[in-house]
Amino acid sequence: TRGYDEELRLAAAIAPADPVVLGALATNAARQQNLDESIALQSRAVALDPLSLVGHVNLGCYLFYSGKFESAEAEWRAALDLAGASAPASNELTRDLAVGLAMAAVARQRSDNALALVDSWLEAGKERDYSLALIYGALGRTTDADIALARLREAGSHDEWESLNLIEAHAFLGHVDAAFEWLAKAVDQSRTASPRTPATAAWKTELRHSPFVTALREDPRWQAWLADG
């Protein structure tokens, strides 16, 4: 990523107040595990361009990674308002936002609210099954969680982002070995991804800070993955 980093430094020198440049700097800071800087940079970008849907989405992500779940919800709801979205989610962006809002509710221990949101917004598919696996797990509905997880596994080919969902769901449900199997697959997939830039590795940032993988963090395999970068 040396060429990317050099281009980013040049862009920041030329246009330090450009929202797009600030957003790219925020992404780079997140890759380097500096989430406070990511939030500060992306907040500046949103203040400069408050009608940027992507700006609100990304700020919500950095807030979520930092454990600021209520603030993340606010940014994602702002993005939904800008998109003029109404239930059910009709495109990839609004589906992702619905999933994010559901996950923030789970992280805030408001899984009943998350279930109502998913029932209202998400039709059958991978996003719904991922969400349900976590929600049912949080509600103690283990059988329902395992059924949703099985559908998610059987949904077809998985890129590193879909593998991330399986890592989180397996970890949250206590399936530690299965979670690490999917982590190994995600690593293999990301190594062959093209083009290889900090943006294509964003799933790693999400996984490192996910509130759903606590069961993995004391395992030597987790430490080995972190050390590998």
Side-chain angles (χ1 to χ4, degrees):
T1 62
R2 180 178 297 177
Y4 177 89
D5 290 340
E6 291 174 354
E7 290 183 7
L8 188 54
R9 283 193 292 270
L10 178 60
I14 295 172
D18 185 287
V20 174
V21 173
L22 289 168
L25 289 168
T27 298
N28 213 38
R31 177 174 66 95
Q32 298 168 358
Q33 308 310 307
N34 192 340
L35 290 176
D36 288 340
E37 184 178 357
S38 289
I39 292 170
L41 288 163
Q42 194 64 53
S43 295
R44 285 178 59 198
V46 168
L48 288 165
D49 187 5
L51 298 181
S52 169
L53 192 153
V54 172
H56 286 285
V57 170
N58 289 344
L59 179 54
C61 289
Y62 302 137
L63 290 164
F64 184 85
Y65 300 157
S66 298
K68 299 176 174 65
F69 305 123
E70 189 170 357
S71 297
E73 284 186 44
E75 293 300 327
W76 289 335
R77 290 195 181 279
L80 280 176
D81 289 342
L82 286 169
S86 59
S90 58
N91 57 52
E92 183 177 357
L93 174 63
T94 51
R95 286 195 298 272
D96 286 348
L97 285 168
V99 171
L101 288 167
M103 295 305 93
V106 171
R108 294 177 65 197
Q109 300 183 342
R110 297 185 177 184
S111 297
D112 286 330
N113 292 354
L115 185 58
L117 189 151
V118 167
D119 282 340
S120 297
W121 276 79
L122 294 175
E123 298 177 348
K126 295 177 183 178
E127 296 92 347
R128 181 179 176 88
D129 287 331
Y130 162 69
S131 302
L132 289 177
L134 292 172
I135 293 167
Y136 286 144
L139 291 171
R141 294 170 57 176
T142 305
T143 300
D144 290 329
D146 286 341
I147 291 171
L149 182 54
R151 287 197 302 263
L152 185 61
R153 282 196 306 267
E154 295 164 3
S157 60
H158 303 282
D159 61 18
E160 59 266 39
W161 284 98
E162 292 174 354
S163 293
L164 166 64
N165 291 346
L166 284 158
I167 296 164
E168 289 182 311
H170 277 295
F172 193 63
L173 295 174
H175 309 158
V176 172
D177 288 340
F180 279 111
E181 288 173 9
W182 282 103
L183 177 55
K185 292 178 183 179
V187 169
D188 287 342
Q189 290 156 340
S190 68
R191 283 174 177 161
T192 60
S194 180
R196 296 185 66 191
T197 70
T200 65
W203 70 273
K204 296 180 180 179
T205 299
E206 181 166 330
L207 180 58
R208 285 188 182 99
H209 298 283
S210 171
F212 306 122
V213 297
T214 303
L216 308 185
R217 292 199 168 103
E218 299 304 318
D219 192 292
R221 290 171 289 184
W222 180 263
Q223 300 306 319
W225 173 67
L226 291 178
D228 192 43

